[in-house]
Amino acid sequence: KSTSSLLGLVSQPGVDGSGSVVAVVDSGIAPHKALENRILARVNFAQDDPGAAGDPYGHGTHVAGIAAARDNGSGVVGVAPGARLWAVKVLNDKGEGELEIILEGLNKVLQSISNGNPYNIKVVNMSLGGYDDTFWPPGTGTCDDLSPTMLSTFQSLREAGVLVVVAAGNGACTTGVAWPACLSNAMAVGAVYDSSFFSRGPFQTSQCKPFCFDSSVNADDVACYSDSGEKLDVWAPGSVTRVATLSGGFDEVDGTSEAAPYVAGVAALLSQAVPTRTSDQLFAAIRNTGKPVTDKRNNITRNRVDALQALQALQGSGGYPFTYYLTGIARWPGFSPAYWYSDVAIFNPGTSSATVKMTFLSSTTSLQPVEFTLAGKAQAAWKDVLAQAFGFSGEAVGAILVESSQPVKALARTYSQVNVQQQNGSLALGTMGQFIEGIEVGKALTANQVGYLVNLRSDPPFRTNVGFVNVGQEPAQVEVRFFTNNGTLISTVPLAIPAQRRVQQGRALPDGYQAAYAEVRVLTSGGKVIGIASVVDGNSTDPTTIPLWVP
């Protein structure tokens, strides 16, 4: 099975990665028919054989072929056969390496980029890593504090426009990914299957399990050996992948080492198609598109990379690859005597200007989108955002889609103005209200997950409302099931949400419950929603935001 048969390749004429270079930081690259004229340069930092130019171990040759091999009659085709390769040898002939040597190799890449980037390096692939049983066995979250030098190096590459793609690890761990995939600015890639198999394995995993075995495998099933956890960014095909071998032929192998160069190849394709993209835009386009796949071992859901969808995100977003949804935006009369307003602030943490677009999503009201430029280290803010930003003086409730050319922070405050006007005509101060954070599409609840709303109550004067935004392109059916503290079912609320619209259910939790929680499920295949609950004090009309928690 060649990589060209794998899911998600860009099928547009001329998009083959030409002009892009992938720096393969690995064990070197050996001569191979499929890699003829693919290798622009070689550098070698391996201590055991500093004069050798090839790949005695063979691992880097596997990786290189997946990213950028041409068929040439070899039976091996890479994801981006038009891309070129830079062999950065940091692993010895046993596939081992040290932190200092790996950093030397990465610094060589940085040096080339700072000298005008003559090779046009767009991606660094690192199908390497490991664990530390004391400090990173692995753990949850990121490992930034454990490896500040590598973190800084990755950041320098990212700021230079280079995406850093790293294999998640093959330890069968479900609490986190291996080093250095665990760094926050690395794209950590886990492995899934491309097609169905009766069985595969056993795999020697050793770190979190001695071995594992997959049976009755379907396409997009997570490979049992793949590390997974909060830091994981995407899935990619990594099992039964055809790779170039030292003998000049090919073999079929398994591992997150094979999944990572698949993503690196996709990044090369996108870099050719959209040469003006930043590394942040590229990261977001790959991470936030594709098919949601849930790891049944820990219920972590990430997207299986899809190059065509990512390309459409870069090309069709009008330069807005970063998207956030602010739900619960209102200019609307609530339960008497409340009248709801929303303030919005958008902050640009970067040093360069961001182009931002805001679109109000409502099932009843259509407003002209607002576009503006936001300088670096600056904030744009609006009181009563529907009036001040959109010029709307009527009544409406919905959500705001915030699209940006680079990462921003979006925050809304929805509050009750009990007395709409004072005698002098100015607005009264109103309540403190609830703060609502902009949520990225990649963090939406999907059809194969369960989300939770906790610490709810409906004992007078308190009431609980729920609201959801359908961030997908098709109508979504959502089910909210309320439970008592001990798990006894109270009631079920079904909601039908049109695409790109928000639906709210007031007093969703029946009266008489001082404490409750809710399970939220998307019943529509492929559906994606973002939601919150609001617990409102009927006396003060002040609300409290309960974000939807997706484990």
Side-chain angles (χ1 to χ4, degrees), residues 524-551:
T524 309
S525 177
K528 298 179 180 181
V529 302
I530 290 169
I532 61 169
S534 299
V535 178
V536 184
D537 182 340
N539 289 334
S540 67
T541 72
D542 206 24
T544 298
T545 302
I546 310 294
L548 179 65
W549 176 49
V550 183

Short mmCIF file of all heavy atoms in Angstrom, two decimals, residues 524-551:
data_model
loop_
_atom_site.label_atom_id
_atom_site.label_comp_id
_atom_site.label_asym_id
_atom_site.label_seq_id
_atom_site.Cartn_x
_atom_site.Cartn_y
_atom_site.Cartn_z
N THR A 524 -26.19 13.70 15.74
CA THR A 524 -26.03 13.72 14.29
C THR A 524 -24.59 13.38 13.93
O THR A 524 -23.66 14.02 14.42
CB THR A 524 -26.38 15.11 13.74
OG1 THR A 524 -27.66 15.50 14.25
CG2 THR A 524 -26.41 15.08 12.23
N SER A 525 -24.42 12.39 13.07
CA SER A 525 -23.08 12.02 12.64
C SER A 525 -22.39 13.20 11.98
O SER A 525 -22.95 13.86 11.10
CB SER A 525 -23.15 10.85 11.65
OG SER A 525 -21.88 10.50 11.18
N GLY A 526 -21.17 13.48 12.43
CA GLY A 526 -20.41 14.60 11.87
C GLY A 526 -20.75 15.93 12.49
O GLY A 526 -20.15 16.96 12.14
N GLY A 527 -21.71 15.98 13.44
CA GLY A 527 -22.10 17.23 14.06
C GLY A 527 -21.05 17.77 15.01
O GLY A 527 -20.31 17.02 15.63
N LYS A 528 -20.98 19.11 15.14
CA LYS A 528 -20.05 19.77 16.05
C LYS A 528 -20.77 20.94 16.71
O LYS A 528 -21.33 21.79 16.01
CB LYS A 528 -18.83 20.31 15.30
CG LYS A 528 -17.97 19.28 14.61
CD LYS A 528 -16.80 19.96 13.89
CE LYS A 528 -15.91 18.97 13.18
NZ LYS A 528 -14.76 19.65 12.50
N VAL A 529 -20.76 20.99 18.04
CA VAL A 529 -21.41 22.09 18.74
C VAL A 529 -20.52 22.62 19.86
O VAL A 529 -19.67 21.91 20.39
CB VAL A 529 -22.78 21.68 19.33
CG1 VAL A 529 -23.72 21.17 18.25
CG2 VAL A 529 -22.62 20.65 20.43
N ILE A 530 -20.73 23.88 20.18
CA ILE A 530 -20.11 24.54 21.32
C ILE A 530 -21.24 25.05 22.20
O ILE A 530 -22.24 25.58 21.69
CB ILE A 530 -19.21 25.70 20.85
CG1 ILE A 530 -17.97 25.16 20.15
CG2 ILE A 530 -18.81 26.61 22.00
CD1 ILE A 530 -17.16 26.21 19.43
N GLY A 531 -21.11 24.89 23.51
CA GLY A 531 -22.22 25.29 24.37
C GLY A 531 -21.83 25.75 25.75
O GLY A 531 -20.69 25.55 26.19
N ILE A 532 -22.80 26.38 26.42
CA ILE A 532 -22.65 26.79 27.82
C ILE A 532 -23.99 26.62 28.51
O ILE A 532 -25.04 26.50 27.86
CB ILE A 532 -22.20 28.26 27.96
CG1 ILE A 532 -23.24 29.20 27.32
CG2 ILE A 532 -20.82 28.50 27.38
CD1 ILE A 532 -23.01 30.66 27.64
N ALA A 533 -23.96 26.62 29.82
CA ALA A 533 -25.16 26.78 30.63
C ALA A 533 -25.03 28.10 31.38
O ALA A 533 -23.92 28.57 31.67
CB ALA A 533 -25.33 25.63 31.60
N SER A 534 -26.18 28.71 31.67
CA SER A 534 -26.21 29.92 32.48
C SER A 534 -27.11 29.67 33.68
O SER A 534 -28.27 29.31 33.50
CB SER A 534 -26.76 31.11 31.67
OG SER A 534 -25.95 31.39 30.57
N VAL A 535 -26.54 29.83 34.86
CA VAL A 535 -27.33 29.75 36.09
C VAL A 535 -27.63 31.19 36.51
O VAL A 535 -26.71 31.95 36.84
CB VAL A 535 -26.59 28.99 37.19
CG1 VAL A 535 -27.41 28.97 38.47
CG2 VAL A 535 -26.31 27.55 36.74
N VAL A 536 -28.91 31.57 36.47
CA VAL A 536 -29.30 32.96 36.67
C VAL A 536 -29.97 33.12 38.02
O VAL A 536 -30.87 32.35 38.37
CB VAL A 536 -30.26 33.42 35.55
CG1 VAL A 536 -30.58 34.91 35.71
CG2 VAL A 536 -29.65 33.15 34.18
N ASP A 537 -29.52 34.12 38.77
CA ASP A 537 -30.16 34.50 40.03
C ASP A 537 -31.36 35.37 39.70
O ASP A 537 -31.20 36.50 39.20
CB ASP A 537 -29.16 35.26 40.90
CG ASP A 537 -29.72 35.64 42.26
OD1 ASP A 537 -30.96 35.66 42.41
OD2 ASP A 537 -28.93 35.95 43.16
N GLY A 538 -32.56 34.89 39.93
CA GLY A 538 -33.75 35.62 39.57
C GLY A 538 -33.94 36.92 40.32
O GLY A 538 -34.65 37.81 39.84
N ASN A 539 -33.34 37.04 41.50
CA ASN A 539 -33.48 38.29 42.28
C ASN A 539 -32.63 39.40 41.68
O ASN A 539 -33.10 40.51 41.44
CB ASN A 539 -33.09 38.05 43.73
CG ASN A 539 -34.12 37.21 44.46
OD1 ASN A 539 -35.30 37.19 44.10
ND2 ASN A 539 -33.68 36.48 45.49
N SER A 540 -31.36 39.11 41.43
CA SER A 540 -30.45 40.12 40.90
C SER A 540 -30.38 40.08 39.38
O SER A 540 -29.86 41.00 38.76
CB SER A 540 -29.05 39.91 41.47
OG SER A 540 -28.50 38.70 40.98
N THR A 541 -30.89 39.01 38.79
CA THR A 541 -30.77 38.68 37.35
C THR A 541 -29.33 38.51 36.92
O THR A 541 -29.02 38.57 35.73
CB THR A 541 -31.47 39.72 36.44
OG1 THR A 541 -30.72 40.93 36.45
CG2 THR A 541 -32.89 39.97 36.89
N ASP A 542 -28.43 38.27 37.87
CA ASP A 542 -27.02 38.08 37.53
C ASP A 542 -26.79 36.62 37.12
O ASP A 542 -27.19 35.71 37.85
CB ASP A 542 -26.13 38.44 38.72
CG ASP A 542 -24.74 38.88 38.29
OD1 ASP A 542 -24.62 39.34 37.14
OD2 ASP A 542 -23.81 38.78 39.09
N PRO A 543 -26.14 36.36 35.98
CA PRO A 543 -25.90 34.98 35.54
C PRO A 543 -24.49 34.51 35.87
O PRO A 543 -23.57 35.30 36.00
CB PRO A 543 -26.09 35.08 34.03
CG PRO A 543 -25.56 36.45 33.71
CD PRO A 543 -25.83 37.33 34.92
N THR A 544 -24.34 33.21 35.95
CA THR A 544 -23.03 32.56 36.07
C THR A 544 -22.85 31.61 34.90
O THR A 544 -23.73 30.81 34.60
CB THR A 544 -22.92 31.78 37.39
OG1 THR A 544 -23.06 32.67 38.49
CG2 THR A 544 -21.57 31.07 37.48
N THR A 545 -21.69 31.71 34.23
CA THR A 545 -21.41 30.85 33.08
C THR A 545 -20.90 29.49 33.52
O THR A 545 -19.98 29.40 34.31
CB THR A 545 -20.37 31.50 32.17
OG1 THR A 545 -20.84 32.77 31.74
CG2 THR A 545 -20.09 30.63 30.94
N ILE A 546 -21.48 28.43 32.96
CA ILE A 546 -20.98 27.07 33.15
C ILE A 546 -20.51 26.57 31.78
O ILE A 546 -21.33 26.29 30.90
CB ILE A 546 -22.07 26.12 33.69
CG1 ILE A 546 -22.77 26.71 34.91
CG2 ILE A 546 -21.48 24.75 33.97
CD1 ILE A 546 -21.90 26.87 36.13
N PRO A 547 -19.19 26.52 31.53
CA PRO A 547 -18.73 26.07 30.22
C PRO A 547 -18.97 24.58 30.03
O PRO A 547 -18.96 23.80 31.00
CB PRO A 547 -17.23 26.39 30.25
CG PRO A 547 -16.87 26.37 31.70
CD PRO A 547 -18.08 26.86 32.44
N LEU A 548 -19.19 24.18 28.80
CA LEU A 548 -19.34 22.76 28.47
C LEU A 548 -17.98 22.10 28.56
O LEU A 548 -17.04 22.49 27.86
CB LEU A 548 -19.92 22.60 27.07
CG LEU A 548 -20.12 21.17 26.57
CD1 LEU A 548 -21.16 20.45 27.40
CD2 LEU A 548 -20.53 21.18 25.09
N TRP A 549 -17.88 21.11 29.43
CA TRP A 549 -16.61 20.40 29.62
C TRP A 549 -16.62 19.15 28.75
O TRP A 549 -17.50 18.31 28.86
CB TRP A 549 -16.41 20.03 31.08
CG TRP A 549 -15.18 19.21 31.34
CD1 TRP A 549 -13.92 19.46 30.91
CD2 TRP A 549 -15.11 17.99 32.09
NE1 TRP A 549 -13.05 18.48 31.34
CE2 TRP A 549 -13.76 17.57 32.07
CE3 TRP A 549 -16.04 17.22 32.78
CZ2 TRP A 549 -13.34 16.40 32.70
CZ3 TRP A 549 -15.62 16.07 33.42
CH2 TRP A 549 -14.28 15.66 33.38
N VAL A 550 -15.61 19.03 27.88
CA VAL A 550 -15.47 17.86 27.01
C VAL A 550 -14.19 17.14 27.43
O VAL A 550 -13.09 17.61 27.13
CB VAL A 550 -15.41 18.26 25.53
CG1 VAL A 550 -15.33 17.01 24.66
CG2 VAL A 550 -16.61 19.11 25.16
N PRO A 551 -14.29 16.03 28.16
CA PRO A 551 -13.08 15.34 28.65
C PRO A 551 -12.17 14.91 27.50
O PRO A 551 -12.64 14.58 26.42
CB PRO A 551 -13.64 14.14 29.41
CG PRO A 551 -15.05 14.48 29.73
CD PRO A 551 -15.52 15.35 28.60
#
